[in-house]
Amino acid sequence: MGGGARAAYQVGVLSGILEILDPTRSPDFRNPFAIVCGTSAGAINAAALACRAHDCHLAVDRLVLLWEHLSTDRIYRSDGLSLLGTGSRWLGMLALGWLWPDLRGHRPNSLLDNSPLSELLAATLDFDRLNDNLDRGELLAIAITATAFISGEHLTFYNARHVIEPWTRSLRRAVPGALGVEHLMASSAIPFIFPAQSILVNGKTEWCGDGSMRQMAPLSPAIHLGAKRVLVIGTGHHDDTHAEERRVDSSYPPLAQVGGHVLSSLFLDGLSMDVERLDRVNQLLELLPPEAVQTLSLKKVNALTITPSKPPDKIAMEFLHQMPSSVRTLFRVLGVSSGSGGGTGGALVSYLLFEAAYTSELIRLGRADSMDRIEEVKAFFKETPQ
């Protein structure tokens, strides 16, 4: 799943799982992830894993190295001049656009310029190698999701070793074909924050944004591509605290708090609901006689879900001081403040804090969370799909 900088947690989980499954790094160890699906920042992790599916240990090692040495300026332009230029264009359009319509032609497409991310992905990922892995059977399929702003559809771009007919559902469509950096840029284009990406879809240009938008069934691509078991690595902390026990602040929420809540709804809620839906379908199928199950277009799909055991927003606030001063200034304007509680804007920071100290801490957390579930992981990967 997506989650901006929180996706570093996923790399830690992968590292822990490979340590559990193959602690000696045997040369005969095969990639356990035959089908890889990703959305937003999760799509970048998925593509990196797929590009080196022939050596999954190396793939995860390189991902760890990348995330542990990340900095904000490698993801988006964070210097004061760039932020000031974008801010002044927005302000000018809002203040004077009604008076001088020509100003609208110079409006910025987003709050931040993420062109450095495109350069980083082009230098890091080898999509020719990904195609080789598909041809040799090291990988069966990969899917990356995005949202089309013009048609309003949720698009799943996929490439598979064998022919898989594209599927269509209400406002959801699968598009087969080769994948590239442009698909990752589209899938990770957080609305308003990063600009949309143009992609040619069936001969027509679609402007696409973050794949977490309108993603009602995040597990669907993996199942359509043939998965019988699904390892789900989320980026949201499950809070067991009862609502009445949570701290309540009656003051008007700052923009940072609202923005963090919007991003959490975008990245996290769809996954939780889809996992619950999958569990209910599995329970229903277990109650039906075998002959009845065979007549249905449904199959049992077991899932192992691993999510952060600690809230990433609180971790992020510990490392806020490491962000470029210009970005911290922007965050303060939006209402980010030090301290504890939900009004600090920590959720927003946790998605956009692309600094090595924070991402390294998330990697350590992900690895620890997977190592805490050694027996579950072993049982899940030893299970024989029906």
Side-chain angles (χ1 to χ4, degrees):
M1 289 300 295
R6 291 187 181 203
Y9 172 83
Q10 300 169 347
V11 179
V13 172
L14 289 173
S15 177
I17 286 176
L18 291 185
E19 174 67 21
I20 294 170
L21 298 180
D22 183 36
T24 63
R25 290 181 171 243
S26 168
D28 298 326
F29 182 71
R30 294 293 301 271
N31 171 33
F33 310 110
I35 298 169
V36 186
C37 304
T39 297
S40 195
I44 295 174
N45 287 337
L49 188 59
C51 286
R52 291 193 172 94
H54 59 287
D55 188 342
C56 55
H57 280 293
L58 177 62
V60 174
D61 288 345
R62 293 292 179 86
L63 270 171
V64 169
L65 188 66
L66 174 66
W67 281 96
E68 283 186 341
H69 292 82
L70 206 58
S71 59
T72 300
D73 58 4
R74 299 185 73 187
I75 305 300
Y76 55 87
R77 300 196 184 282
S78 56
D79 59 283
L81 188 61
S82 296
L83 293 177
L84 180 62
T86 302
S88 61
R89 288 198 300 274
W90 275 115
L91 183 61
M93 186 191 70
L94 291 173
L96 302 174
W98 63 275
L99 186 59
W100 288 299
D102 290 343
L103 284 177
R104 299 171 190 169
H106 301 282
R107 63 182 181 272
N109 294 324
S110 60
L111 178 64
L112 300 173
D113 175 6
N114 65 342
S115 55
L117 174 60
S118 178
E119 298 168 4
L120 176 63
L121 295 177
T124 303
L125 301 178
D126 185 349
F127 285 94
D128 290 333
R129 173 69 76 171
L130 187 156
N131 295 328
D132 290 342
N133 286 331
L134 286 169
D135 292 338
R136 296 202 306 253
E138 302 285 355
L139 183 74
L140 294 183
I142 177 175
I144 294 171
T145 59
T147 303
F149 288 125
I150 296 176
S151 67
E153 292 179 304
H154 186 266
L155 302 176
T156 298
F157 299 98
Y158 72 95
N159 197 357
R161 172 174 170 78
H162 303 292
V163 175
I164 296 177
E165 289 298 321
W167 59 93
T168 301
R169 298 292 185 270
S170 176
L171 290 178
R172 286 188 285 142
R173 180 159 56 103
V175 182
L179 303 177
V181 170
E182 67 274 16
H183 297 91
L184 299 181
M185 294 299 292
S187 184
S188 58
I190 302 174
F192 303 111
I193 296 177
F194 296 141
Q197 171 72 44
S198 62
I199 296 181
L200 199 62
V201 179
N202 297 331
K204 297 181 180 179
T205 298
E206 280 278 12
W207 287 94
C208 297
D210 200 292
S212 298
M213 293 184 290
R214 311 194 84 163
Q215 191 173 35
M216 304 303 177
L219 305 183
S220 173
I223 296 172
H224 279 292
L225 292 174
K228 297 179 180 178
R229 288 173 293 166
V230 183
L231 169 68
V232 183
I233 310 177
T235 57
H237 170 65
H238 179 67
D239 188 359
D240 293 322
T241 306
H242 295 294
E244 62 270 16
E245 297 175 353
R246 296 173 185 160
R247 179 179 179 271
V248 177
D249 189 347
S250 59
S251 60
Y252 193 86
L255 284 176
Q257 185 178 354
V258 174
H261 180 73
V262 170
L263 291 182
S264 294
S265 299
L266 190 69
F267 291 127
L268 310 179
D269 291 353
L271 175 62
S272 300
M273 290 187 292
D274 207 24
V275 170
E276 290 180 1
R277 184 161 50 238
L278 180 66
D279 288 339
R280 288 196 297 270
V281 171
N282 286 340
Q283 292 171 11
L284 174 62
L285 293 177
E286 288 179 354
L287 296 175
L288 297 176
E291 58 274 14
V293 173
Q294 293 179 358
T295 63
L296 299 173
S297 59
L298 296 173
K299 62 181 179 181
K300 184 177 180 179
V301 178
N302 290 335
L304 173 63
T305 303
I306 301 179
T307 57
S309 58
K310 299 178 182 178
D313 52 342
K314 292 184 179 179
I315 299 175
M317 293 305 290
E318 297 175 10
F319 299 98
L320 176 61
H321 64 281
Q322 300 216 353
M323 291 197 80
S325 58
S326 54
V327 181
R328 291 202 308 272
T329 300
L330 174 62
F331 278 172
R332 282 198 297 270
V333 171
L334 295 176
V336 172
S337 61
S338 59
S340 60
T344 62
L348 179 64
V349 174
S350 71
Y351 295 111
L352 299 176
L353 180 54
F354 293 96
E355 293 295 331
Y358 170 59
T359 54
S360 296
E361 186 63 28
L362 290 181
I363 290 173
R364 283 190 287 271
L365 177 62
R367 183 176 175 82
D369 286 349
S370 58
M371 298 302 287
D372 283 343
R373 301 173 65 179
I374 291 178
E375 297 307 318
E376 283 184 80
V377 170
K378 287 182 177 180
F380 179 77
F381 282 92
K382 285 182 179 178
E383 173 191 336
T384 302
Q386 300 298 319

